[in-house]
Amino acid sequence: MKIAIVGAGAVGAYHGIKLAQSGNDVHFLLRSDYEIVKERGFELHDCGEVSRVRVHAHKTPQEIGRCDLVVVALKTTANSQFTVLLPPLVGAGTQILTLQNGLGNVEALGALFGSENVLGGLCYVTINRTAPGVICNLGKTLLWIAEGEGAPRERTRVLAEIFRAAGFRTEVQSSLAETLWKKLCWNVPFNGLAIAGGNIDCAQLMASPELVKLSQILMEELQAGARACGIEIPDSHLAKQFDVTRRIGAYLPSSLLDFRAGKPVEVEAIWGEPLRRGTVRGVAMPHLETLYLLLKKLCACRV
Amino acid sequence: MKIAIVGAGAVGAYHGIKLAQSGNDVHFLLRSDYEIVKERGFELHDCGEVSRVRVHAHKTPQEIGRCDLVVVALKTTANSQFTVLLPPLVGAGTQILTLQNGLGNVEALGALFGSENVLGGLCYVTINRTAPGVICNLGKTLLWIAEGEGAPRERTRVLAEIFRAAGFRTEVQSSLAETLWKKLCWNVPFNGLAIAGGNIDCAQLMASPELVKLSQILMEELQAGARACGIEIPDSHLAKQFDVTRRIGAYLPSSLLDFRAGKPVEVEAIWGEPLRRGTVRGVAMPHLETLYLLLKKLCACRV
């Protein structure tokens, strides 16, 4: 299978490497890491084992050409690049799989390339890009795959099988929207309050009764927003997010890492889009609105 | 008139000095500045003129004894000191005037000494304590005086006259609660978002469309909270707060100065108390709640 990886940060690079190692024809579209990966390949630290992996590195999508599968792992703040980066890779029958955070990515890709060609995935991973061309996977991975719109099809299961063959624990989900809203129940409070609560880690966040209270309220607003979109998130899912967060201790949410590094934070995909989807359906999400407006200011002017 | 000044920061010290210079018997209850003021008096910079002012400096309220007027200019974060600092100063007929920020001070004093003995004032000033014992007044002053509860009485006007004789432009107000809620329409958004919006001055705040929008929403929640308390704040008052803030440019709100200096921020008086007064009356103030919870965390652990 000919596969393009667009956005070779930690998630894109790792998934691409594993897909290549399991026999696929994988092509990486690179920007800042192009020279080093072209010359030396990726340096992969996979649960302690270190190896050097030669790959097909490209600087333009035209060099790659049409693929069977395009894996989109760009940061959502770069979604305006879709129209430049993707058309050379997409032809009749090309499947596009977005592994990006938050809401709005499937719709943006669907608007450009037809929603019937778009799938979405959620990665539960602890992968870092620790230096240019250096990718570290610290633990187990879990990949959820679903159709961008509607129920799983035969091709959804085929795609899941390809990832499974590459070593990923992969599950086909019946509703992408549901999985994305559920993931937001973690990302919205914990990524957001780690920044707005004073540049703090998850342990510091959970030690604050005020931020725990605010997290609960934010999750309840997401629950109401999701319900208006036809998605039921049980209370037990909200409780579970606190359990998870208590367990991970002084973890630094990815948005906080971006914030600290002065990089763009995915404010619209994680906070803006669920707010818009709820409020347009008449759901009051005022705590989310406050957090969104603060984050938009706090994270402004980053490139 | 025998007057005690409790809390001789910038506001307390300046008002006490002017009251003393106009012939009153003024006694300052001092803590950190006691030694220097006892020895050398205050160094007063009053609109450019520098003078040294000898005053009655005291370390305990027992040294001062009963007064005709007790001016309370403590930070509201020190209100738990009322029961220690005030009883020796208060007897039958003693008037207590709080010049403190936010809501709840009149009620706290009333609960201890009888609400009929409490008055409140609002100071519109640009006074700083630039060093121990050094007080700088940069511009004009305006003092609003009102009864803690109910309409002005003869004694309200007499007290206003005493401040007028000391050089203050003084106006008797018909409702203290109304003036305090109106002042909050500035303090809540601009003190709060200067901190939560990323440690920024008023010019930076006003340059952010997100924070301007949030300021407007916060003021509207205050307007609704005040209405539930029987106080009408006209829309024109909200608009005026933006005009004022645009004019003052890169001004640093007092709470931001406290925040930057690692000093206690008056979170309960400015944000917590109006939130509680509105919500207990069934008014939704979710944006204020979010800001309050964030500020409580951001400003925690300060002494």
PDB file of all heavy atoms in Angstrom, chain A residues 221 284 286-287, chain B residues 181 217-226 228 274-290:
ATOM      1  N   GLU A 221     -20.329  20.740  30.598  1.00  0.00           N
ATOM      2  CA  GLU A 221     -20.714  21.541  29.428  1.00  0.00           C
ATOM      3  C   GLU A 221     -20.454  20.768  28.136  1.00  0.00           C
ATOM      4  O   GLU A 221     -21.246  20.828  27.192  1.00  0.00           O
ATOM      5  CB  GLU A 221     -19.970  22.883  29.429  1.00  0.00           C
ATOM      6  CG  GLU A 221     -20.489  23.838  30.517  1.00  0.00           C
ATOM      7  CD  GLU A 221     -19.882  25.231  30.462  1.00  0.00           C
ATOM      8  OE1 GLU A 221     -18.987  25.472  29.610  1.00  0.00           O
ATOM      9  OE2 GLU A 221     -20.291  26.081  31.265  1.00  0.00           O
ATOM     10  N   ALA A 284     -25.740  26.325  26.434  1.00  0.00           N
ATOM     11  CA  ALA A 284     -24.908  27.318  27.117  1.00  0.00           C
ATOM     12  C   ALA A 284     -23.602  26.650  27.551  1.00  0.00           C
ATOM     13  O   ALA A 284     -23.622  25.644  28.254  1.00  0.00           O
ATOM     14  CB  ALA A 284     -25.638  27.884  28.332  1.00  0.00           C
ATOM     15  N   PRO A 286     -20.763  28.567  28.982  1.00  0.00           N
ATOM     16  CA  PRO A 286     -20.081  29.814  29.354  1.00  0.00           C
ATOM     17  C   PRO A 286     -18.710  29.619  29.994  1.00  0.00           C
ATOM     18  O   PRO A 286     -17.830  30.459  29.815  1.00  0.00           O
ATOM     19  CB  PRO A 286     -21.055  30.467  30.339  1.00  0.00           C
ATOM     20  CG  PRO A 286     -21.874  29.333  30.876  1.00  0.00           C
ATOM     21  CD  PRO A 286     -21.984  28.337  29.761  1.00  0.00           C
ATOM     22  N   HIS A 287     -18.534  28.517  30.737  1.00  0.00           N
ATOM     23  CA  HIS A 287     -17.206  28.285  31.320  1.00  0.00           C
ATOM     24  C   HIS A 287     -16.209  27.954  30.218  1.00  0.00           C
ATOM     25  O   HIS A 287     -15.067  28.415  30.228  1.00  0.00           O
ATOM     26  CB  HIS A 287     -17.270  27.168  32.367  1.00  0.00           C
ATOM     27  CG  HIS A 287     -18.154  27.489  33.539  1.00  0.00           C
ATOM     28  ND1 HIS A 287     -19.524  27.374  33.486  1.00  0.00           N
ATOM     29  CD2 HIS A 287     -17.861  27.944  34.791  1.00  0.00           C
ATOM     30  CE1 HIS A 287     -20.034  27.734  34.661  1.00  0.00           C
ATOM     31  NE2 HIS A 287     -19.054  28.077  35.468  1.00  0.00           N
TER      32      HIS A 287
ATOM     33  N   TRP B 181     -20.928  48.203  43.568  1.00  0.00           N
ATOM     34  CA  TRP B 181     -21.184  47.378  42.371  1.00  0.00           C
ATOM     35  C   TRP B 181     -20.696  48.092  41.109  1.00  0.00           C
ATOM     36  O   TRP B 181     -20.153  47.463  40.199  1.00  0.00           O
ATOM     37  CB  TRP B 181     -22.679  47.061  42.245  1.00  0.00           C
ATOM     38  CG  TRP B 181     -23.152  45.892  43.059  1.00  0.00           C
ATOM     39  CD1 TRP B 181     -23.768  45.934  44.284  1.00  0.00           C
ATOM     40  CD2 TRP B 181     -23.085  44.490  42.712  1.00  0.00           C
ATOM     41  NE1 TRP B 181     -24.075  44.664  44.715  1.00  0.00           N
ATOM     42  CE2 TRP B 181     -23.677  43.759  43.776  1.00  0.00           C
ATOM     43  CE3 TRP B 181     -22.589  43.784  41.613  1.00  0.00           C
ATOM     44  CZ2 TRP B 181     -23.780  42.355  43.767  1.00  0.00           C
ATOM     45  CZ3 TRP B 181     -22.693  42.391  41.600  1.00  0.00           C
ATOM     46  CH2 TRP B 181     -23.280  41.698  42.668  1.00  0.00           C
ATOM     47  N   ILE B 217     -18.858  40.769  28.776  1.00  0.00           N
ATOM     48  CA  ILE B 217     -19.715  39.718  29.338  1.00  0.00           C
ATOM     49  C   ILE B 217     -19.673  39.763  30.871  1.00  0.00           C
ATOM     50  O   ILE B 217     -20.701  39.636  31.538  1.00  0.00           O
ATOM     51  CB  ILE B 217     -19.266  38.326  28.835  1.00  0.00           C
ATOM     52  CG1 ILE B 217     -19.411  38.227  27.313  1.00  0.00           C
ATOM     53  CG2 ILE B 217     -20.087  37.223  29.509  1.00  0.00           C
ATOM     54  CD1 ILE B 217     -18.811  36.941  26.715  1.00  0.00           C
ATOM     55  N   LEU B 218     -18.484  39.940  31.424  1.00  0.00           N
ATOM     56  CA  LEU B 218     -18.346  40.003  32.888  1.00  0.00           C
ATOM     57  C   LEU B 218     -19.143  41.175  33.458  1.00  0.00           C
ATOM     58  O   LEU B 218     -19.824  41.047  34.475  1.00  0.00           O
ATOM     59  CB  LEU B 218     -16.869  40.120  33.277  1.00  0.00           C
ATOM     60  CG  LEU B 218     -16.031  38.851  33.095  1.00  0.00           C
ATOM     61  CD1 LEU B 218     -14.537  39.176  33.125  1.00  0.00           C
ATOM     62  CD2 LEU B 218     -16.350  37.822  34.187  1.00  0.00           C
ATOM     63  N   MET B 219     -19.060  42.320  32.790  1.00  0.00           N
ATOM     64  CA  MET B 219     -19.829  43.490  33.258  1.00  0.00           C
ATOM     65  C   MET B 219     -21.324  43.216  33.188  1.00  0.00           C
ATOM     66  O   MET B 219     -22.076  43.627  34.075  1.00  0.00           O
ATOM     67  CB  MET B 219     -19.494  44.709  32.388  1.00  0.00           C
ATOM     68  CG  MET B 219     -18.132  45.298  32.647  1.00  0.00           C
ATOM     69  SD  MET B 219     -17.975  46.826  31.678  1.00  0.00           S
ATOM     70  CE  MET B 219     -16.202  46.915  31.489  1.00  0.00           C
ATOM     71  N   GLU B 220     -21.763  42.523  32.156  1.00  0.00           N
ATOM     72  CA  GLU B 220     -23.200  42.222  32.035  1.00  0.00           C
ATOM     73  C   GLU B 220     -23.639  41.261  33.134  1.00  0.00           C
ATOM     74  O   GLU B 220     -24.763  41.363  33.642  1.00  0.00           O
ATOM     75  CB  GLU B 220     -23.503  41.654  30.643  1.00  0.00           C
ATOM     76  CG  GLU B 220     -23.420  42.726  29.559  1.00  0.00           C
ATOM     77  CD  GLU B 220     -23.460  42.154  28.144  1.00  0.00           C
ATOM     78  OE1 GLU B 220     -23.708  40.936  27.996  1.00  0.00           O
ATOM     79  OE2 GLU B 220     -23.245  42.929  27.191  1.00  0.00           O
ATOM     80  N   GLU B 221     -22.763  40.331  33.509  1.00  0.00           N
ATOM     81  CA  GLU B 221     -23.104  39.450  34.634  1.00  0.00           C
ATOM     82  C   GLU B 221     -23.190  40.249  35.943  1.00  0.00           C
ATOM     83  O   GLU B 221     -24.063  39.993  36.781  1.00  0.00           O
ATOM     84  CB  GLU B 221     -22.084  38.309  34.749  1.00  0.00           C
ATOM     85  CG  GLU B 221     -22.224  37.282  33.623  1.00  0.00           C
ATOM     86  CD  GLU B 221     -21.325  36.061  33.783  1.00  0.00           C
ATOM     87  OE1 GLU B 221     -20.531  36.017  34.747  1.00  0.00           O
ATOM     88  OE2 GLU B 221     -21.414  35.153  32.945  1.00  0.00           O
ATOM     89  N   LEU B 222     -22.284  41.216  36.120  1.00  0.00           N
ATOM     90  CA  LEU B 222     -22.344  42.071  37.306  1.00  0.00           C
ATOM     91  C   LEU B 222     -23.629  42.896  37.310  1.00  0.00           C
ATOM     92  O   LEU B 222     -24.274  43.079  38.348  1.00  0.00           O
ATOM     93  CB  LEU B 222     -21.127  43.004  37.346  1.00  0.00           C
ATOM     94  CG  LEU B 222     -19.797  42.337  37.660  1.00  0.00           C
ATOM     95  CD1 LEU B 222     -18.655  43.299  37.397  1.00  0.00           C
ATOM     96  CD2 LEU B 222     -19.752  41.849  39.110  1.00  0.00           C
ATOM     97  N   GLN B 223     -23.979  43.390  36.133  1.00  0.00           N
ATOM     98  CA  GLN B 223     -25.207  44.162  35.981  1.00  0.00           C
ATOM     99  C   GLN B 223     -26.412  43.326  36.430  1.00  0.00           C
ATOM    100  O   GLN B 223     -27.278  43.806  37.164  1.00  0.00           O
ATOM    101  CB  GLN B 223     -25.340  44.546  34.504  1.00  0.00           C
ATOM    102  CG  GLN B 223     -26.276  45.688  34.195  1.00  0.00           C
ATOM    103  CD  GLN B 223     -26.324  45.954  32.690  1.00  0.00           C
ATOM    104  OE1 GLN B 223     -26.140  45.043  31.872  1.00  0.00           O
ATOM    105  NE2 GLN B 223     -26.562  47.201  32.326  1.00  0.00           N
ATOM    106  N   ALA B 224     -26.433  42.055  36.010  1.00  0.00           N
ATOM    107  CA  ALA B 224     -27.537  41.153  36.381  1.00  0.00           C
ATOM    108  C   ALA B 224     -27.494  40.837  37.878  1.00  0.00           C
ATOM    109  O   ALA B 224     -28.538  40.787  38.540  1.00  0.00           O
ATOM    110  CB  ALA B 224     -27.462  39.868  35.560  1.00  0.00           C
ATOM    111  N   GLY B 225     -26.293  40.619  38.404  1.00  0.00           N
ATOM    112  CA  GLY B 225     -26.147  40.349  39.835  1.00  0.00           C
ATOM    113  C   GLY B 225     -26.602  41.539  40.671  1.00  0.00           C
ATOM    114  O   GLY B 225     -27.313  41.391  41.669  1.00  0.00           O
ATOM    115  N   ALA B 226     -26.203  42.736  40.246  1.00  0.00           N
ATOM    116  CA  ALA B 226     -26.603  43.955  40.954  1.00  0.00           C
ATOM    117  C   ALA B 226     -28.119  44.126  40.893  1.00  0.00           C
ATOM    118  O   ALA B 226     -28.757  44.464  41.896  1.00  0.00           O
ATOM    119  CB  ALA B 226     -25.904  45.170  40.332  1.00  0.00           C
ATOM    120  N   ALA B 228     -30.374  41.886  40.736  1.00  0.00           N
ATOM    121  CA  ALA B 228     -30.994  40.959  41.693  1.00  0.00           C
ATOM    122  C   ALA B 228     -30.883  41.489  43.126  1.00  0.00           C
ATOM    123  O   ALA B 228     -31.669  41.116  43.994  1.00  0.00           O
ATOM    124  CB  ALA B 228     -30.349  39.582  41.579  1.00  0.00           C
ATOM    125  N   PRO B 274     -19.224  39.246  44.873  1.00  0.00           N
ATOM    126  CA  PRO B 274     -20.307  39.518  43.911  1.00  0.00           C
ATOM    127  C   PRO B 274     -20.849  38.231  43.286  1.00  0.00           C
ATOM    128  O   PRO B 274     -22.046  38.124  43.034  1.00  0.00           O
ATOM    129  CB  PRO B 274     -19.649  40.427  42.862  1.00  0.00           C
ATOM    130  CG  PRO B 274     -18.185  40.338  43.104  1.00  0.00           C
ATOM    131  CD  PRO B 274     -17.999  39.988  44.540  1.00  0.00           C
ATOM    132  N   LEU B 275     -19.973  37.256  43.063  1.00  0.00           N
ATOM    133  CA  LEU B 275     -20.421  35.961  42.524  1.00  0.00           C
ATOM    134  C   LEU B 275     -21.413  35.312  43.484  1.00  0.00           C
ATOM    135  O   LEU B 275     -22.487  34.847  43.082  1.00  0.00           O
ATOM    136  CB  LEU B 275     -19.208  35.050  42.307  1.00  0.00           C
ATOM    137  CG  LEU B 275     -19.506  33.607  41.922  1.00  0.00           C
ATOM    138  CD1 LEU B 275     -20.192  33.532  40.558  1.00  0.00           C
ATOM    139  CD2 LEU B 275     -18.217  32.777  41.898  1.00  0.00           C
ATOM    140  N   ARG B 276     -21.060  35.295  44.758  1.00  0.00           N
ATOM    141  CA  ARG B 276     -21.943  34.664  45.740  1.00  0.00           C
ATOM    142  C   ARG B 276     -23.268  35.430  45.861  1.00  0.00           C
ATOM    143  O   ARG B 276     -24.335  34.833  45.960  1.00  0.00           O
ATOM    144  CB  ARG B 276     -21.240  34.592  47.108  1.00  0.00           C
ATOM    145  CG  ARG B 276     -20.142  33.521  47.145  1.00  0.00           C
ATOM    146  CD  ARG B 276     -19.538  33.364  48.537  1.00  0.00           C
ATOM    147  NE  ARG B 276     -18.641  34.449  48.910  1.00  0.00           N
ATOM    148  CZ  ARG B 276     -17.328  34.476  48.630  1.00  0.00           C
ATOM    149  NH1 ARG B 276     -16.762  33.485  47.965  1.00  0.00           N
ATOM    150  NH2 ARG B 276     -16.578  35.490  49.019  1.00  0.00           N
ATOM    151  N   ARG B 277     -23.202  36.758  45.815  1.00  0.00           N
ATOM    152  CA  ARG B 277     -24.441  37.548  45.975  1.00  0.00           C
ATOM    153  C   ARG B 277     -25.374  37.366  44.788  1.00  0.00           C
ATOM    154  O   ARG B 277     -26.600  37.382  44.946  1.00  0.00           O
ATOM    155  CB  ARG B 277     -24.114  39.028  46.154  1.00  0.00           C
ATOM    156  CG  ARG B 277     -23.408  39.240  47.454  1.00  0.00           C
ATOM    157  CD  ARG B 277     -23.358  40.670  47.891  1.00  0.00           C
ATOM    158  NE  ARG B 277     -22.530  40.727  49.094  1.00  0.00           N
ATOM    159  CZ  ARG B 277     -22.397  41.773  49.859  1.00  0.00           C
ATOM    160  NH1 ARG B 277     -23.024  42.891  49.561  1.00  0.00           N
ATOM    161  NH2 ARG B 277     -21.623  41.725  50.931  1.00  0.00           N
ATOM    162  N   GLY B 278     -24.802  37.212  43.608  1.00  0.00           N
ATOM    163  CA  GLY B 278     -25.651  36.972  42.440  1.00  0.00           C
ATOM    164  C   GLY B 278     -26.202  35.558  42.429  1.00  0.00           C
ATOM    165  O   GLY B 278     -27.411  35.360  42.276  1.00  0.00           O
ATOM    166  N   THR B 279     -25.326  34.572  42.609  1.00  0.00           N
ATOM    167  CA  THR B 279     -25.770  33.182  42.464  1.00  0.00           C
ATOM    168  C   THR B 279     -26.770  32.804  43.557  1.00  0.00           C
ATOM    169  O   THR B 279     -27.714  32.059  43.287  1.00  0.00           O
ATOM    170  CB  THR B 279     -24.578  32.201  42.473  1.00  0.00           C
ATOM    171  OG1 THR B 279     -23.718  32.516  43.557  1.00  0.00           O
ATOM    172  CG2 THR B 279     -23.795  32.304  41.183  1.00  0.00           C
ATOM    173  N   VAL B 280     -26.606  33.347  44.763  1.00  0.00           N
ATOM    174  CA  VAL B 280     -27.556  33.021  45.833  1.00  0.00           C
ATOM    175  C   VAL B 280     -28.952  33.548  45.490  1.00  0.00           C
ATOM    176  O   VAL B 280     -29.945  33.049  46.002  1.00  0.00           O
ATOM    177  CB  VAL B 280     -27.048  33.563  47.190  1.00  0.00           C
ATOM    178  CG1 VAL B 280     -27.396  35.029  47.365  1.00  0.00           C
ATOM    179  CG2 VAL B 280     -27.606  32.744  48.342  1.00  0.00           C
ATOM    180  N   ARG B 281     -28.999  34.531  44.605  1.00  0.00           N
ATOM    181  CA  ARG B 281     -30.287  35.074  44.162  1.00  0.00           C
ATOM    182  C   ARG B 281     -30.713  34.487  42.807  1.00  0.00           C
ATOM    183  O   ARG B 281     -31.594  35.020  42.134  1.00  0.00           O
ATOM    184  CB  ARG B 281     -30.210  36.603  44.074  1.00  0.00           C
ATOM    185  CG  ARG B 281     -30.147  37.265  45.445  1.00  0.00           C
ATOM    186  CD  ARG B 281     -29.781  38.743  45.386  1.00  0.00           C
ATOM    187  NE  ARG B 281     -29.798  39.342  46.726  1.00  0.00           N
ATOM    188  CZ  ARG B 281     -28.790  39.294  47.586  1.00  0.00           C
ATOM    189  NH1 ARG B 281     -27.673  38.669  47.250  1.00  0.00           N
ATOM    190  NH2 ARG B 281     -28.881  39.853  48.773  1.00  0.00           N
ATOM    191  N   GLY B 282     -30.055  33.422  42.411  1.00  0.00           N
ATOM    192  CA  GLY B 282     -30.481  32.718  41.196  1.00  0.00           C
ATOM    193  C   GLY B 282     -29.947  33.302  39.898  1.00  0.00           C
ATOM    194  O   GLY B 282     -30.395  32.927  38.819  1.00  0.00           O
ATOM    195  N   VAL B 283     -28.990  34.240  40.002  1.00  0.00           N
ATOM    196  CA  VAL B 283     -28.423  34.823  38.788  1.00  0.00           C
ATOM    197  C   VAL B 283     -27.247  33.966  38.310  1.00  0.00           C
ATOM    198  O   VAL B 283     -26.355  33.655  39.107  1.00  0.00           O
ATOM    199  CB  VAL B 283     -27.938  36.271  39.033  1.00  0.00           C
ATOM    200  CG1 VAL B 283     -27.295  36.847  37.781  1.00  0.00           C
ATOM    201  CG2 VAL B 283     -29.097  37.136  39.503  1.00  0.00           C
ATOM    202  N   ALA B 284     -27.249  33.591  37.048  1.00  0.00           N
ATOM    203  CA  ALA B 284     -26.127  32.839  36.484  1.00  0.00           C
ATOM    204  C   ALA B 284     -24.966  33.795  36.216  1.00  0.00           C
ATOM    205  O   ALA B 284     -25.131  34.783  35.510  1.00  0.00           O
ATOM    206  CB  ALA B 284     -26.549  32.148  35.196  1.00  0.00           C
ATOM    207  N   MET B 285     -23.818  33.512  36.803  1.00  0.00           N
ATOM    208  CA  MET B 285     -22.624  34.332  36.572  1.00  0.00           C
ATOM    209  C   MET B 285     -21.451  33.403  36.232  1.00  0.00           C
ATOM    210  O   MET B 285     -20.417  33.419  36.895  1.00  0.00           O
ATOM    211  CB  MET B 285     -22.328  35.181  37.816  1.00  0.00           C
ATOM    212  CG  MET B 285     -23.513  36.052  38.244  1.00  0.00           C
ATOM    213  SD  MET B 285     -23.243  36.997  39.777  1.00  0.00           S
ATOM    214  CE  MET B 285     -22.505  38.501  39.132  1.00  0.00           C
ATOM    215  N   PRO B 286     -21.622  32.589  35.186  1.00  0.00           N
ATOM    216  CA  PRO B 286     -20.628  31.533  34.916  1.00  0.00           C
ATOM    217  C   PRO B 286     -19.273  32.050  34.450  1.00  0.00           C
ATOM    218  O   PRO B 286     -18.251  31.438  34.751  1.00  0.00           O
ATOM    219  CB  PRO B 286     -21.298  30.694  33.826  1.00  0.00           C
ATOM    220  CG  PRO B 286     -22.283  31.601  33.175  1.00  0.00           C
ATOM    221  CD  PRO B 286     -22.766  32.538  34.253  1.00  0.00           C
ATOM    222  N   HIS B 287     -19.264  33.166  33.728  1.00  0.00           N
ATOM    223  CA  HIS B 287     -17.964  33.701  33.309  1.00  0.00           C
ATOM    224  C   HIS B 287     -17.216  34.234  34.527  1.00  0.00           C
ATOM    225  O   HIS B 287     -16.013  34.043  34.663  1.00  0.00           O
ATOM    226  CB  HIS B 287     -18.149  34.790  32.255  1.00  0.00           C
ATOM    227  CG  HIS B 287     -18.768  34.294  30.976  1.00  0.00           C
ATOM    228  ND1 HIS B 287     -20.122  34.068  30.852  1.00  0.00           N
ATOM    229  CD2 HIS B 287     -18.228  33.955  29.783  1.00  0.00           C
ATOM    230  CE1 HIS B 287     -20.380  33.630  29.630  1.00  0.00           C
ATOM    231  NE2 HIS B 287     -19.248  33.542  28.961  1.00  0.00           N
ATOM    232  N   LEU B 288     -17.952  34.920  35.405  1.00  0.00           N
ATOM    233  CA  LEU B 288     -17.341  35.390  36.648  1.00  0.00           C
ATOM    234  C   LEU B 288     -16.859  34.205  37.482  1.00  0.00           C
ATOM    235  O   LEU B 288     -15.780  34.252  38.077  1.00  0.00           O
ATOM    236  CB  LEU B 288     -18.343  36.239  37.444  1.00  0.00           C
ATOM    237  CG  LEU B 288     -17.860  36.741  38.810  1.00  0.00           C
ATOM    238  CD1 LEU B 288     -16.571  37.553  38.688  1.00  0.00           C
ATOM    239  CD2 LEU B 288     -18.942  37.570  39.498  1.00  0.00           C
ATOM    240  N   GLU B 289     -17.655  33.130  37.503  1.00  0.00           N
ATOM    241  CA  GLU B 289     -17.246  31.952  38.275  1.00  0.00           C
ATOM    242  C   GLU B 289     -15.927  31.381  37.744  1.00  0.00           C
ATOM    243  O   GLU B 289     -15.029  31.027  38.515  1.00  0.00           O
ATOM    244  CB  GLU B 289     -18.333  30.878  38.239  1.00  0.00           C
ATOM    245  CG  GLU B 289     -17.948  29.651  39.058  1.00  0.00           C
ATOM    246  CD  GLU B 289     -19.011  28.558  39.054  1.00  0.00           C
ATOM    247  OE1 GLU B 289     -19.580  28.256  37.999  1.00  0.00           O
ATOM    248  OE2 GLU B 289     -19.261  27.996  40.124  1.00  0.00           O
ATOM    249  N   THR B 290     -15.838  31.289  36.429  1.00  0.00           N
ATOM    250  CA  THR B 290     -14.608  30.757  35.830  1.00  0.00           C
ATOM    251  C   THR B 290     -13.411  31.631  36.193  1.00  0.00           C
ATOM    252  O   THR B 290     -12.360  31.133  36.617  1.00  0.00           O
ATOM    253  CB  THR B 290     -14.742  30.686  34.298  1.00  0.00           C
ATOM    254  OG1 THR B 290     -15.953  30.002  33.969  1.00  0.00           O
ATOM    255  CG2 THR B 290     -13.564  29.952  33.682  1.00  0.00           C
TER     256      THR B 290
END
